[in-house]
Each structure stands twice: as structure tokens, then as C-alpha cells.
Amino acid sequence: HPLQASGRVVDGIAAERELLRDVRGEADLVLDTSRLNVHELRGRMRDFFGGRSAQGPRVSIVSFGYKYGLPVDADLVVDCRFLPNPHWIPELAPMTGLDAPVREYVLSREGAQEFLKAYFEVLQILLAGDEREGKHFVALAVGCTGGKHRSVAIAEYLAAQLTDDGSD
């Protein structure tokens, strides 16, 4: 224990309890976790603080460029490089996937809508499984070569679909 110094672990715990005595006196809730496993602790926290109103885990979506490397915290990775790259179209190159002309270009390419429909169906299955397993957060990374056009347009589309579907 960090506060045990040259003493025993129980001495460190006693010192910590003494330091936190005033905080404990002000607390609305004191939860003894010494006999709880992680699943029981999760249940107690849910009981005390309530469940979320949205269904499923909270999904964080990030777009990235493969030339910069994969995001280290990604749970799921989507590769959009199968779609034509707007970078090679002079009037679209300086824009991003947030701009309507790029978004329309990306989403209208052959295979884009079929991919999005199929991936969204798979994503719903995955998120339902994550919810059953008690996973509260999922990081979805959407990538293309530079992370500026295709991945941004697809990430924005997926975020809108998840929002419309009632997910967080």
C-alpha cells in the first residue's frame, strides 16, 4: 500500500482510512467493495446511480488516416479505402468529408450504400453483444488513406445512423 511506509499493508490501509475520515463523513454513499467481484460491483453501481436511458454501449467514432497508423484504443476498425478517393478530384481535394460535395461524392460511389447498410446491421449485432457482456464504451475507428475525405464522410454517416437508432 502506498501509505504503509516501512510498516505493514494494514498500517497503510489504516493511514488511508484516517486521511479519508472527513470525506467519508460527508459522503452520501459508502460502498464496501471488499467482498464484491467486478460483476457485483457493476450491479451495485447501476443500482445506486441508475442505468442510462439509451440502449447499448456508448459509441465513440473517430476517423483516421492509415498513413498515420491505427488509433490504439479502437475496438472496431472500418476501412473505407475501397471507395474512390476524392483527393484526386481537384475541386474536392481541399475539402473534407464534412463538406457536402465530398460527402455526396463518397456516399454516392458504387458499393457505398450497400456497405453502409450491411455494416450498420453488423454493428447492431456487435453492440447488442457488447451490451449483453456489460461493455459500456466502444471505440469505432473509420479509416481511409489520409483520414480527411472518405473516413470523415463515413464516420459522420454512421454517427447519424446510430443517433437516429437511439444509440449514444
Side-chain angles (χ1 to χ4, degrees):
H1 191 282
L3 298 178
Q4 78 185 55
S6 61
R8 302 170 301 156
V9 172
V10 293
D11 298 328
I13 293 170
E16 181 180 25
R17 283 187 175 152
E18 181 60 31
L19 284 172
L20 295 174
R21 184 169 32 99
D22 293 339
V23 172
R24 183 181 176 134
E26 295 291 320
D28 295 327
L29 170 69
V30 176
L31 179 60
D32 181 0
T33 62
S34 56
R35 290 189 173 90
L36 300 178
N37 66 40
V38 294
H39 306 291
E40 293 166 330
L41 176 58
R42 180 185 302 128
R44 294 274 177 90
M45 298 302 285
R46 186 179 50 246
D47 293 344
F48 285 123
F49 298 107
R52 298 183 343 188
S53 58
Q55 294 296 317
R58 180 176 297 272
V59 180
S60 173
I61 302 177
V62 62
S63 62
F64 73 97
Y66 276 95
K67 70 181 183 178
Y68 304 110
L70 289 164
V72 295
D73 59 345
D75 296 303
L76 303 168
V77 177
V78 178
D79 187 346
C80 299
R81 294 176 292 181
F82 72 95
L83 295 168
N85 193 346
H87 171 76
W88 302 112
I89 299 173
E91 59 272 16
L92 298 179
M95 298 181 195
T96 73
L98 295 175
D99 295 305
V102 172
R103 184 176 52 253
E104 290 164 10
Y105 176 84
V106 170
L107 297 178
S108 68
R109 297 301 95 188
E110 183 179 349
Q113 289 303 310
E114 295 84 355
F115 166 75
L116 287 166
K117 181 180 184 287
Y119 187 73
F120 190 72
E121 288 175 9
V122 169
L123 191 56
Q124 289 176 313
I125 294 167
L126 292 171
L127 294 175
D130 285 338
E131 181 177 24
R132 284 189 304 274
E133 289 299 311
K135 190 169 185 179
H136 297 285
F137 302 97
V138 173
L140 170 59
V142 183
C144 63
T145 305
K148 181 178 172 184
H149 298 103
R150 296 168 290 181
S151 63
V152 174
I154 296 295
E156 290 290 317
Y157 181 91
L158 289 171
Q161 287 297 114
L162 286 170
T163 300
D164 290 347
D165 190 50
S167 301
D168 254 350

